[in-house]
Amino acid sequence: MCRSIKTLREPYVPVVTEEDVRAAALQYVRKISGFRAPAAHNAAAFDSAVDAVAAATATLLDQLVVRGQQPATRG
């Protein structure tokens, strides 16, 4: 599932940007919803889901501890 979403934690990515997190969230919501772009009547729900997934992703990355690594730097 979501093969185009790349791993966003060290050691795979030394610096994770907000754009990286948002792109991964967008891909996830597209996959789950089945919509590349939602119809106007679904846009608010779609955008809200992308925001929620991006926030959850950022929280996860901020809290992950990878043995032997310093926490990832998000830019």
Coordinates of all heavy atoms in Angstrom, one line a residue:
M1 N 0.8 -1.2 0.0 CA 0.0 0.0 0.0 C 0.9 1.2 0.0 O 1.9 1.3 0.7 CB -0.9 0.0 1.2 CG -1.8 1.2 1.3 SD -2.8 1.1 2.8 CE -2.7 2.7 3.3
C2 N 0.5 2.2 -0.7 CA 1.2 3.5 -0.7 C 2.6 3.4 -1.0 O 3.5 3.9 -0.3 CB 0.9 4.3 0.6 SG -0.8 4.7 0.8
R3 N 3.0 2.7 -2.0 CA 4.4 2.4 -2.3 C 5.2 3.7 -2.6 O 6.4 3.7 -2.5 CB 4.5 1.5 -3.5 CG 4.0 0.1 -3.1 CD 4.2 -0.9 -4.2 NE 3.6 -2.2 -3.8 CZ 3.1 -3.0 -4.6 NH1 3.0 -2.7 -5.9 NH2 2.5 -4.1 -4.2
S4 N 4.5 4.8 -3.0 CA 5.2 6.0 -3.3 C 5.5 6.8 -2.1 O 6.2 7.8 -2.1 CB 4.4 6.8 -4.3 OG 3.2 7.2 -3.8
I5 N 5.0 6.4 -0.9 CA 5.3 7.1 0.3 C 6.7 6.6 0.8 O 6.9 5.4 1.0 CB 4.3 6.9 1.4 CG1 2.9 7.5 1.0 CG2 4.7 7.5 2.7 CD1 1.8 7.2 2.0
K6 N 7.6 7.6 1.0 CA 9.0 7.2 1.4 C 9.1 7.2 2.9 O 8.3 7.9 3.6 CB 10.0 8.0 0.8 CG 10.0 9.5 1.2 CD 11.1 10.3 0.5 CE 11.0 11.7 1.0 NZ 12.1 12.5 0.4
T7 N 10.0 6.4 3.4 CA 10.3 6.4 4.9 C 10.9 7.8 5.2 O 11.7 8.3 4.6 CB 11.3 5.3 5.2 OG1 10.8 4.0 4.8 CG2 11.6 5.3 6.7
L8 N 10.3 8.3 6.3 CA 10.7 9.7 6.7 C 11.5 9.7 8.0 O 11.7 10.8 8.6 CB 9.5 10.6 6.9 CG 8.7 10.8 5.6 CD1 7.5 11.7 5.9 CD2 9.5 11.4 4.5
R9 N 12.1 8.6 8.5 CA 12.9 8.7 9.7 C 14.3 8.3 9.4 O 14.6 7.8 8.3 CB 12.3 7.7 10.7 CG 12.6 6.2 10.4 CD 12.4 5.3 11.6 NE 12.5 3.9 11.2 CZ 13.7 3.3 11.2 NH1 14.8 3.9 11.4 NH2 13.7 2.0 10.8
E10 N 15.2 8.7 10.3 CA 16.6 8.4 10.2 C 16.7 6.9 10.3 O 15.9 6.2 10.9 CB 17.4 9.0 11.3 CG 17.6 10.5 11.1 CD 18.6 11.1 12.1 OE1 19.1 10.3 13.0 OE2 18.8 12.3 12.0
P11 N 17.7 6.3 9.6 CA 18.7 6.8 8.8 C 18.4 7.1 7.4 O 19.2 7.4 6.6 CB 19.8 5.8 8.9 CG 19.1 4.5 9.0 CD 17.8 4.8 9.8
Y12 N 17.1 6.8 7.0 CA 16.7 7.0 5.6 C 16.7 8.4 5.1 O 17.0 8.6 4.0 CB 15.3 6.3 5.5 CG 15.2 4.9 5.9 CD1 14.8 4.5 7.1 CD2 15.7 3.9 5.0 CE1 14.7 3.2 7.5 CE2 15.7 2.6 5.4 CZ 15.2 2.2 6.7 OH 15.2 0.9 7.1
V13 N 16.3 9.3 6.0 CA 16.2 10.7 5.6 C 16.8 11.5 6.8 O 16.3 11.5 7.9 CB 14.7 11.2 5.4 CG1 14.6 12.6 5.1 CG2 14.1 10.3 4.3
P14 N 17.9 12.2 6.5 CA 18.5 13.0 7.6 C 17.7 14.2 8.0 O 17.7 14.6 9.2 CB 19.9 13.4 7.0 CG 19.7 13.3 5.6 CD 18.7 12.3 5.3
V15 N 17.0 14.9 7.1 CA 16.2 16.1 7.4 C 14.8 15.9 6.8 O 14.7 15.6 5.6 CB 16.9 17.3 6.8 CG1 16.0 18.5 7.1 CG2 18.2 17.6 7.4
V16 N 13.8 16.0 7.6 CA 12.4 15.8 7.1 C 11.8 17.2 7.1 O 11.7 17.8 8.1 CB 11.6 14.9 8.0 CG1 10.2 14.7 7.5 CG2 12.3 13.5 8.1
T17 N 11.3 17.6 5.9 CA 10.7 18.9 5.8 C 9.2 18.8 6.0 O 8.6 17.7 5.9 CB 10.9 19.5 4.4 OG1 10.3 18.7 3.5 CG2 12.4 19.6 4.2
E18 N 8.5 19.9 6.3 CA 7.1 19.9 6.4 C 6.4 19.5 5.1 O 5.4 18.8 5.1 CB 6.6 21.4 6.7 CG 5.5 21.4 7.6 CD 5.2 22.9 8.0 OE1 6.0 23.4 8.9 OE2 4.2 23.4 7.5
E19 N 7.1 19.8 4.0 CA 6.6 19.4 2.6 C 6.6 17.9 2.5 O 5.7 17.3 1.9 CB 7.4 20.0 1.5 CG 7.2 21.5 1.4 CD 8.0 22.4 2.4 OE1 9.0 21.9 2.9 OE2 7.5 23.5 2.7
D20 N 7.7 17.2 3.0 CA 7.8 15.8 3.0 C 6.6 15.1 3.8 O 6.0 14.2 3.3 CB 9.1 15.3 3.6 CG 10.3 15.6 2.9 OD1 10.3 15.8 1.6 OD2 11.4 15.8 3.5
V21 N 6.4 15.7 4.9 CA 5.3 15.1 5.8 C 3.9 15.3 5.1 O 3.1 14.4 5.0 CB 5.3 15.8 7.2 CG1 4.1 15.4 8.0 CG2 6.6 15.4 7.9
R22 N 3.7 16.5 4.5 CA 2.4 16.8 3.9 C 2.2 15.9 2.6 O 1.1 15.5 2.4 CB 2.4 18.3 3.5 CG 1.1 18.7 2.9 CD 0.4 19.6 3.8 NE -0.9 19.9 3.2 CZ -2.1 19.8 3.9 NH1 -2.0 19.5 5.2 NH2 -3.2 20.1 3.3
A23 N 3.3 15.7 1.9 CA 3.2 14.9 0.7 C 2.8 13.5 1.1 O 2.0 12.8 0.4 CB 4.5 14.9 -0.1
A24 N 3.4 12.9 2.1 CA 3.1 11.6 2.6 C 1.7 11.5 3.0 O 1.0 10.5 2.7 CB 4.1 11.2 3.7
A25 N 1.2 12.5 3.8 CA -0.1 12.5 4.3 C -1.1 12.6 3.1 O -2.2 11.9 3.1 CB -0.4 13.7 5.2
L26 N -0.8 13.4 2.1 CA -1.7 13.5 0.9 C -1.8 12.2 0.2 O -2.9 11.7 -0.2 CB -1.2 14.6 0.0 CG -2.0 14.8 -1.3 CD1 -3.4 15.2 -1.0 CD2 -1.3 15.9 -2.1
Q27 N -0.6 11.5 0.0 CA -0.7 10.2 -0.7 C -1.5 9.2 0.1 O -2.3 8.4 -0.5 CB 0.8 9.7 -0.8 CG 1.5 10.3 -1.9 CD 0.9 10.1 -3.3 OE1 0.2 10.9 -3.8 NE2 1.1 8.9 -3.8
Y28 N -1.4 9.2 1.4 CA -2.1 8.3 2.3 C -3.6 8.5 2.1 O -4.4 7.6 1.9 CB -1.7 8.4 3.7 CG -2.4 7.6 4.7 CD1 -2.1 6.2 4.8 CD2 -3.5 8.1 5.4 CE1 -2.8 5.4 5.6 CE2 -4.2 7.3 6.3 CZ -3.9 5.9 6.4 OH -4.6 5.1 7.2
V29 N -4.0 9.8 2.2 CA -5.5 10.1 2.2 C -6.0 9.8 0.8 O -7.1 9.3 0.6 CB -5.7 11.6 2.6 CG1 -7.1 12.0 2.3 CG2 -5.4 11.8 4.0
R30 N -5.2 10.1 -0.3 CA -5.6 9.7 -1.6 C -5.9 8.2 -1.7 O -6.8 7.8 -2.3 CB -4.6 10.1 -2.6 CG -4.6 11.6 -2.9 CD -3.4 11.9 -3.9 NE -3.5 13.3 -4.3 CZ -2.5 14.0 -4.9 NH1 -1.4 13.3 -5.2 NH2 -2.7 15.2 -5.3
K31 N -5.0 7.4 -1.2 CA -5.1 6.0 -1.3 C -6.3 5.5 -0.5 O -7.1 4.7 -1.0 CB -3.8 5.3 -0.7 CG -3.8 3.8 -0.8 CD -3.6 3.4 -2.2 CE -3.3 1.9 -2.3 NZ -3.0 1.5 -3.6
I32 N -6.5 6.0 0.7 CA -7.6 5.5 1.5 C -8.9 5.9 0.9 O -9.9 5.2 0.9 CB -7.5 6.1 3.0 CG1 -6.2 5.5 3.6 CG2 -8.7 5.8 3.8 CD1 -6.2 4.0 3.7
S33 N -9.0 7.2 0.5 CA -10.3 7.7 0.0 C -10.6 7.2 -1.5 O -11.8 7.1 -1.8 CB -10.3 9.2 -0.1 OG -9.4 9.7 -1.0
G34 N -9.6 6.9 -2.2 CA -9.8 6.5 -3.6 C -9.9 7.7 -4.5 O -10.2 7.5 -5.7
F35 N -9.7 8.9 -4.0 CA -9.8 10.1 -4.8 C -8.4 10.7 -5.0 O -7.7 10.9 -4.0 CB -10.7 11.2 -4.1 CG -12.1 10.8 -3.9 CD1 -12.6 10.7 -2.7 CD2 -12.9 10.5 -5.0 CE1 -13.9 10.3 -2.5 CE2 -14.2 10.2 -4.8 CZ -14.7 10.1 -3.6
R36 N -8.1 11.1 -6.2 CA -6.9 11.9 -6.4 C -7.1 13.3 -6.0 O -6.3 14.0 -5.4 CB -6.4 11.8 -7.9 CG -5.2 12.7 -8.1 CD -4.4 12.3 -9.3 NE -3.2 13.0 -9.6 CZ -2.6 14.0 -9.0 NH1 -3.1 14.5 -7.9 NH2 -1.5 14.5 -9.4
A37 N -8.3 13.8 -6.4 CA -8.8 15.1 -6.0 C -10.3 15.0 -5.7 O -11.0 14.5 -6.5 CB -8.6 16.1 -7.1
P38 N -10.7 15.4 -4.5 CA -12.1 15.2 -4.1 C -13.0 16.2 -4.9 O -12.6 17.2 -5.3 CB -12.1 15.4 -2.6 CG -11.0 16.4 -2.4 CD -9.9 16.0 -3.4
A39 N -14.3 15.8 -5.0 CA -15.3 16.7 -5.5 C -15.4 17.8 -4.4 O -15.1 17.7 -3.3 CB -16.6 16.0 -5.6
A40 N -16.0 18.9 -4.9 CA -16.1 20.1 -4.0 C -16.8 19.8 -2.7 O -16.5 20.3 -1.6 CB -16.9 21.2 -4.8
H41 N -17.9 18.9 -2.8 CA -18.6 18.6 -1.5 C -17.8 17.7 -0.6 O -18.2 17.6 0.6 CB -20.0 18.0 -1.9 CG -19.9 16.7 -2.5 ND1 -19.7 16.6 -3.9 CD2 -20.0 15.4 -2.1 CE1 -19.7 15.3 -4.2 NE2 -19.8 14.6 -3.1
N42 N -16.7 17.2 -1.0 CA -15.8 16.4 -0.1 C -14.5 17.0 0.2 O -13.7 16.5 0.9 CB -15.5 15.0 -0.8 CG -16.7 14.1 -0.8 OD1 -17.5 14.1 0.2 ND2 -16.9 13.3 -1.8
A43 N -14.3 18.2 -0.4 CA -13.0 18.9 -0.2 C -12.6 19.2 1.2 O -11.5 19.0 1.7 CB -12.9 20.1 -1.0
A44 N -13.6 19.6 2.0 CA -13.3 20.0 3.4 C -12.9 18.7 4.2 O -11.9 18.8 5.0 CB -14.5 20.7 4.1
A45 N -13.6 17.6 4.0 CA -13.3 16.4 4.7 C -11.9 15.9 4.3 O -11.1 15.4 5.1 CB -14.3 15.3 4.5
F46 N -11.6 15.9 3.0 CA -10.3 15.5 2.4 C -9.2 16.3 3.0 O -8.2 15.8 3.5 CB -10.4 15.6 0.9 CG -9.3 15.0 0.2 CD1 -9.3 13.7 -0.3 CD2 -8.1 15.7 -0.1 CE1 -8.3 13.1 -1.0 CE2 -7.1 15.2 -0.9 CZ -7.2 13.9 -1.3
D47 N -9.3 17.6 3.0 CA -8.3 18.5 3.5 C -8.1 18.4 5.0 O -6.9 18.4 5.5 CB -8.6 20.0 3.2 CG -8.5 20.3 1.7 OD1 -7.9 19.5 0.9 OD2 -9.1 21.3 1.2
S48 N -9.2 18.2 5.7 CA -9.1 17.9 7.1 C -8.3 16.6 7.4 O -7.5 16.6 8.4 CB -10.5 17.9 7.7 OG -10.4 17.7 9.1
A49 N -8.6 15.6 6.7 CA -7.9 14.3 6.8 C -6.4 14.5 6.6 O -5.6 13.9 7.3 CB -8.5 13.3 6.0
V50 N -6.0 15.2 5.5 CA -4.6 15.4 5.2 C -4.0 16.2 6.3 O -2.9 15.8 6.8 CB -4.5 16.2 3.9 CG1 -3.0 16.6 3.6 CG2 -5.0 15.4 2.7
D51 N -4.6 17.2 6.9 CA -4.0 17.9 8.0 C -3.9 17.0 9.2 O -2.8 17.1 9.9 CB -5.0 19.1 8.4 CG -5.0 20.2 7.4 OD1 -4.1 20.3 6.5 OD2 -6.0 21.0 7.4
A52 N -4.8 16.2 9.5 CA -4.8 15.3 10.7 C -3.7 14.3 10.5 O -2.9 14.0 11.5 CB -6.1 14.6 10.9
V53 N -3.5 13.7 9.3 CA -2.5 12.7 9.1 C -1.1 13.4 9.1 O -0.2 12.8 9.7 CB -2.7 12.0 7.7 CG1 -1.5 11.1 7.4 CG2 -4.0 11.1 7.8
A54 N -1.0 14.5 8.6 CA 0.3 15.3 8.7 C 0.7 15.6 10.1 O 1.8 15.4 10.5 CB 0.2 16.5 7.8
A55 N -0.3 16.0 10.9 CA 0.0 16.3 12.3 C 0.4 15.0 13.1 O 1.3 15.0 13.8 CB -1.2 16.9 13.0
A56 N -0.3 13.9 12.8 CA 0.0 12.6 13.5 C 1.4 12.2 13.0 O 2.2 11.7 13.9 CB -1.0 11.6 13.2
T57 N 1.7 12.3 11.8 CA 3.0 12.0 11.3 C 4.1 12.8 11.9 O 5.2 12.2 12.3 CB 3.1 12.1 9.7 OG1 2.1 11.3 9.2 CG2 4.4 11.7 9.2
A58 N 3.9 14.1 12.0 CA 4.9 14.9 12.6 C 5.1 14.6 14.1 O 6.3 14.5 14.6 CB 4.5 16.4 12.5
T59 N 4.0 14.3 14.8 CA 4.1 13.9 16.2 C 4.9 12.5 16.3 O 5.8 12.4 17.2 CB 2.7 13.7 16.8 OG1 2.1 15.0 16.8 CG2 2.8 13.2 18.2
L60 N 4.6 11.6 15.5 CA 5.3 10.3 15.5 C 6.8 10.5 15.2 O 7.6 10.0 16.0 CB 4.7 9.4 14.4 CG 5.5 8.1 14.2 CD1 5.4 7.2 15.4 CD2 4.9 7.4 13.0
L61 N 7.1 11.3 14.2 CA 8.6 11.5 13.9 C 9.3 12.2 15.0 O 10.5 11.9 15.3 CB 8.7 12.2 12.6 CG 8.3 11.4 11.3 CD1 8.3 12.3 10.1 CD2 9.1 10.2 11.1
D62 N 8.6 13.1 15.7 CA 9.2 13.9 16.8 C 9.5 13.0 18.0 O 10.4 13.2 18.8 CB 8.3 15.0 17.2 CG 8.3 16.2 16.2 OD1 9.3 16.2 15.3 OD2 7.4 17.0 16.3
Q63 N 8.6 11.9 18.2 CA 8.7 11.1 19.3 C 9.5 9.8 19.1 O 9.9 9.2 20.1 CB 7.3 10.7 19.8 CG 6.6 12.0 20.3 CD 5.2 11.6 20.8 OE1 4.7 10.5 20.7 NE2 4.5 12.6 21.2
L64 N 9.8 9.4 17.9 CA 10.6 8.2 17.6 C 12.0 8.4 18.1 O 12.6 9.4 18.0 CB 10.6 7.9 16.1 CG 9.4 7.3 15.5 CD1 9.6 7.1 14.0 CD2 9.0 6.0 16.2
V65 N 12.5 7.3 18.7 CA 13.9 7.2 19.2 C 14.5 6.0 18.4 O 14.0 4.9 18.6 CB 14.0 7.0 20.7 CG1 15.5 6.8 21.1 CG2 13.3 8.2 21.4
V66 N 15.4 6.3 17.6 CA 16.1 5.2 16.8 C 17.4 5.0 17.5 O 18.2 5.9 17.7 CB 16.3 5.7 15.3 CG1 17.1 4.6 14.6 CG2 15.0 6.0 14.7
R67 N 17.6 3.7 17.9 CA 18.9 3.4 18.7 C 20.1 3.8 17.9 O 20.2 3.5 16.7 CB 18.9 1.9 18.9 CG 18.1 1.5 20.1 CD 18.4 0.1 20.5 NE 17.2 -0.7 20.3 CZ 17.1 -2.0 20.4 NH1 18.2 -2.7 20.8 NH2 16.0 -2.6 20.3
G68 N 21.0 4.4 18.6 CA 22.3 4.8 18.0 C 22.2 6.1 17.1 O 23.2 6.4 16.5
Q69 N 21.0 6.7 17.0 CA 20.9 7.9 16.2 C 20.4 9.1 17.0 O 19.7 8.9 18.0 CB 19.8 7.6 15.1 CG 20.1 6.5 14.2 CD 21.2 6.8 13.2 OE1 21.3 7.9 12.8 NE2 22.0 5.8 12.8
Q70 N 20.7 10.3 16.6 CA 20.2 11.5 17.1 C 18.8 11.7 16.5 O 18.5 11.2 15.4 CB 21.0 12.7 16.8 CG 22.4 12.7 17.4 CD 22.3 12.7 18.9 OE1 21.5 13.5 19.5 NE2 23.2 12.0 19.6
P71 N 17.8 12.3 17.2 CA 16.5 12.5 16.6 C 16.6 13.3 15.3 O 17.5 14.1 15.1 CB 15.8 13.4 17.7 CG 16.5 13.1 19.0 CD 18.0 12.8 18.6
A72 N 15.7 12.9 14.4 CA 15.7 13.6 13.1 C 15.5 15.1 13.2 O 14.8 15.5 14.1 CB 14.7 12.9 12.2
T73 N 16.1 15.8 12.3 CA 15.8 17.3 12.3 C 14.8 17.6 11.2 O 15.0 17.2 10.1 CB 17.2 18.0 11.9 OG1 18.2 17.6 12.8 CG2 17.0 19.5 12.0
R74 N 13.7 18.1 11.7 CA 12.6 18.5 10.7 C 12.8 20.0 10.4 O 13.0 20.8 11.2 CB 11.2 18.3 11.3 CG 10.9 16.8 11.4 CD 9.5 16.5 11.6 NE 8.8 17.2 12.6 CZ 7.8 18.1 12.3 NH1 7.4 18.2 11.1 NH2 7.2 18.7 13.2
G75 N 12.8 20.3 9.1 CA 13.1 21.6 8.6 C 11.9 22.3 8.1 O 10.8 22.0 7.9

